[in-house]
Amino acid sequence: MAADAPAWLVPVALLATLLRGSASAAVDVIFLGVIPMSALSSYLATRGVLRSPWIRAWAAAAYATLPVATGAIAGGRLGTAVSFVLLPWLARSCARVLGVGRPASWRRTWATSLLLAVVTAFTPVVWVIAVVLGAIAARTVARSRDSWIRLAVLLLTPVLLLVPWSLRVMREPSLLLLEPGLTGPVDSH
């Protein structure tokens, strides 16, 4: 029986396609761009939260230089690096799905589901954290039936988008703790 390919190969292959088919160049671009891309991501994601551009720049610089970023680069943790860049957008978008700041829309819900699927493909444990935070949001923030449906769509869509890999994770839950660049048990299939 052949093993299922990891879900993170698709985004890396798309980036490699832009870089003339070089997967190693794609990984290099990700690692070299972690700090500037996470600073830009954080700066843009805090646009609706912080009014002063100087405070946003300071917060973005502080976020980009957290030890998580440098540790991901030094340890070769591709999943942590990609997730670190995308987490500010994911947090902002999840808040918007719940109607914080602006009225929620289905377009935002589907886009956030896709973003959560990409982050989950690189760092599967993020989906578990999202489910726990979703349960808390369902009890505290989501007041209407429509909000609960949006939350369910947000949490279930990544599982469906990542099939067959997500089915393998359900069979072998220990894979939730692995990510690209992090060594783990050898696949004997």
Side-chain angles (χ1 to χ4, degrees):
M1 175 187 281
D4 302 320
W8 57 268
L9 285 179
V10 173
V12 171
L14 289 173
L15 181 59
T17 301
L18 297 174
L19 298 171
R20 298 173 22 181
S22 174
S24 62
V27 172
D28 289 344
V29 164
I30 291 170
F31 280 127
L32 291 173
V34 167
I35 291 177
M37 287 189 304
S38 62
L40 180 63
S41 172
S42 177
Y43 181 81
L44 295 174
T46 58
R47 183 177 40 211
V49 179
L50 302 171
R51 299 287 179 223
S52 169
W54 293 104
I55 295 174
R56 283 176 41 214
W58 181 84
Y63 178 77
T65 56
L66 283 173
V68 173
T70 55
I73 295 167
R77 294 180 176 205
L78 183 64
T80 302
V82 171
S83 296
F84 190 74
V85 171
L86 296 178
L87 277 177
W89 282 112
L90 184 61
R92 177 186 171 136
S93 198
C94 285
R96 294 286 167 88
V97 165
L98 293 171
V100 176
R102 290 187 185 164
S105 70
W106 279 104
R107 189 166 80 174
R108 170 75 69 176
T109 303
W110 292 113
T112 305
S113 297
L114 179 61
L115 183 58
L116 180 59
V118 171
V119 173
T120 300
F122 281 97
T123 315
V125 75
V126 169
W127 185 80
V128 175
I129 295 167
V131 168
V132 170
L133 292 175
I136 293 169
R139 302 275 299 161
T140 58
V141 180
R143 300 283 183 206
S144 67
R145 183 173 182 257
D146 190 47
S147 295
W148 293 333
I149 293 171
R150 287 181 204 278
L151 201 53
V153 166
L154 174 65
L155 295 173
L156 294 177
T157 302
V159 174
L160 297 175
L161 287 176
L162 298 176
V163 167
W165 177 79
S166 60
L167 296 176
R168 182 169 178 216
V169 171
M170 287 180 197
R171 287 190 311 265
E172 302 173 43
S174 64
L175 294 177
L176 284 170
L177 302 175
L178 296 181
E179 64 180 76
L182 186 61
T183 57
V186 176
D187 189 7
S188 62
H189 299 321

